[in-house]
Amino acid sequence: MVILQGKSVFGGVAIGKIQFFKRDEIQIKRRHVDDPEAEIRRFRTAKEKALSELQQLYDKALTDVGEANAMIFEAHQLMLEDPDYNDSVENIINTQKVNAEYAIGVTSDNYAAIFEAMDDAYMQGRAADVKDVSNRLLSQFAKKQNASFEMTEQVIIAADDLAPSETVQLDKDKVLAFITVEGSANSHTAILARTMNIPAVIGIGDTLTPKYDGKLAIVDGQEGKIYIDPDEEILVAMRKKQAVEQEQRELLETLKGKENVTRSGQKINLYANIANVSDVGAALRNDAGGIGLFRSEFLYLENETYPTEEQQFAAYRQVAEMMAGKRVIIRTLDIGADKQVGYFNLEKEDNPAMGLRAIRICLTRPELFKTQLRAIFRASAYGQIAIMFPMIISVSEVRRIKEIMDEVKTGLRADGIAFSDQIETGIMIETPAAVMISRELAKEVDFFSVGTNDLTQYTLAIDRQNRNLDSFYDSHHPAVLSMIQMAAENAHAEGKWIGICGELAADLSLTERFLQMNIDELSVAPGMILPLRKKIREL
């Protein structure tokens, strides 16, 4: 048995034979041409054919994976029509008097290199798009069009990498999983895999070779592992894991579209917690009523420097659009404590959990805060966005935040940039101080969301990262539950709603207790939404 390790893109277990993806290699040769104008006409004709193919792919993807993911091929059409790309191709043909194929190949390499050199992981992923678009153009010149990849049985697709157009054309009924040598978790292909519910492991490296073609394998998407020629013990264990997944899928299908309501008629909202744009697919598949916690700090954790306003705006806008009018609650930057970012240059602290973190960083670095707020407010024009502020301990903090938000709004109006005037603002209840003054805080905001992880830590005076204290740590401690209840009562007394977005929200043993507290919303990992709905409907 051989075990290969890669990066998980989408969970799930698949068992079957490996089939390596084969594509016709397009050979590019440099040829001198006497009539550059005729060669440019060849290029433009090929471009029109490629645009037509991309439109067909868009139509197919629209049916298979929805509008948000079909837009990949709309973006590819725009890339093909990009003036800089076209000017580069035609300029090479004119100045060097060479064939269109060579000019396309050089332009493709140049543009892909630019994207690959960028620090941003999302932009690096666009290099694959440039190559995909260019290969589509080049295929128009080939006498023999690339034959479609044939699968005679259900298989695990293996490849060096897969372009979005290749992924969407696969026969989904015959794809058990896909595994790749290279690949980015931020690539369109990865997003499509998650949307299509195909277990996927990428970045396996050179250990994944064609010598495994036809071998029996197991893909454990959750662990990012590939078992080739698995022994009987692993086969039995993985089949059991598959059976559990099948039960979950059946649960998902039966509960989709149903209300989160108890037998006695009490309703509660079930939202999803996400860390980035790629998690939205899982939220939608699991029938989330909205996004209760968008952990915006992951935009900072995944970057090598401060994400720009445009980067943040693009992410927030995409989530708002994909959720199509459902509430999206974006938590502002929550860096510090166990989430350290080098380029913030924070001083070393003896007790970082009680140090400069979250809203404290934002209020001491207002320009950083304003950049994020501008991006969020701009995105609010594209959906129902709400803002939530972490680690609040005083009314004065909330009032200072409001002043900064007013400054940001004034700046946006001056710049003529649209944003929603109906955006809700809320705070995290995760300190005992916030609980004790929650009645006063409720007068300042539209909602509360309880962060039970930190609330438990601060209430019990136990570092939740310290394994030596596990026997003392009790997330069900009566003091913690009493604090949640106090915050709920004070929120409702001021006519405001309250949710829970910490780990306790998904604790099925506490669901009934939370309903008794009249909690209005529970926000959990996408995979917990339907089990939680089942629990609620049985109470």
Side-chain angles (χ1 to χ4, degrees), residues 398-440:
V398 177
R399 289 177 179 166
R400 177 61 186 135
I401 289 167
K402 286 181 172 181
E403 290 172 2
I404 294 173
M405 285 197 296
D406 286 340
E407 292 172 21
V408 169
K409 290 178 184 178
T410 299
L412 289 171
R413 289 190 185 100
D415 294 338
I417 297 174
F419 62 92
S420 172
D421 284 324
Q422 306 300 316
I423 194 165
E424 287 181 294
T425 56
I427 60 169
M428 296 279 288
I429 299 292
E430 49 192 342
T431 66
V435 173
M436 299 309 292
I437 61 168
S438 53
R439 183 72 183 262
E440 295 306 308

Side-chain angles (χ1 to χ4, degrees), residues 77-248:
Q77 291 178 66
L78 291 172
M79 194 178 291
L80 258 186
E81 294 175 317
D82 177 64
D84 290 335
Y85 183 95
N86 283 273
D87 288 349
S88 173
V89 174
E90 295 187 10
N91 181 60
I92 291 171
I93 293 172
N94 264 324
T95 58
Q96 299 183 34
K97 291 185 170 52
V98 291
N99 54 316
E101 295 93 325
Y102 178 77
I104 293 166
V106 171
T107 299
S108 174
D109 290 343
N110 290 342
Y111 273 72
I114 290 170
F115 282 118
E116 287 168 348
M118 291 182 180
D119 292 332
D120 181 55
Y122 176 84
M123 297 308 292
Q124 289 171 355
R126 304 290 67 77
D129 293 332
V130 173
K131 293 175 182 176
D132 192 19
V133 165
S134 300
N135 284 336
R136 182 164 301 283
L137 259 178
L138 290 168
S139 72
Q140 308 303 322
F141 297 103
K143 291 180 180 178
K144 177 186 176 183
Q145 292 292 321
N146 292 343
S148 59
F149 181 67
E150 292 185 2
M151 294 176 284
T152 57
E153 59 182 329
Q154 288 188 313
V155 292
I156 295 166
I157 300 296
D160 53 350
D161 200 358
L162 286 168
S165 58
E166 292 169 338
T167 308
V168 80
Q169 290 183 90
L170 294 172
D171 183 348
K172 289 188 297 180
D173 293 333
K174 291 180 180 174
V175 179
L176 296 171
F178 76 72
I179 54 179
T180 63
V181 174
E182 301 169 6
S184 161
N186 295 295
S187 69
H188 286 314
T189 304
I191 295 169
L192 278 172
R194 287 187 279 261
T195 306
M196 295 163 69
N197 291 321
I198 299 174
V201 177
I202 62 169
I204 299 167
D206 295 337
T207 54
L208 179 62
T209 66
K211 71 180 181 181
Y212 297 126
D213 194 49
K215 297 277 190 182
L216 180 67
I218 299 173
V219 177
D220 186 341
Q222 186 175 356
E223 300 295 329
K225 288 184 177 179
I226 317 299
Y227 300 89
I228 298 172
D229 286 334
D231 57 33
E232 190 62 28
E233 184 180 351
I234 288 292
L235 269 172
V236 170
M238 288 299 166
R239 282 175 179 147
K240 285 181 180 177
K241 197 170 182 177
Q242 267 190 325
V244 172
E245 290 175 356
Q246 182 59 33
E247 288 177 13
Q248 291 175 341

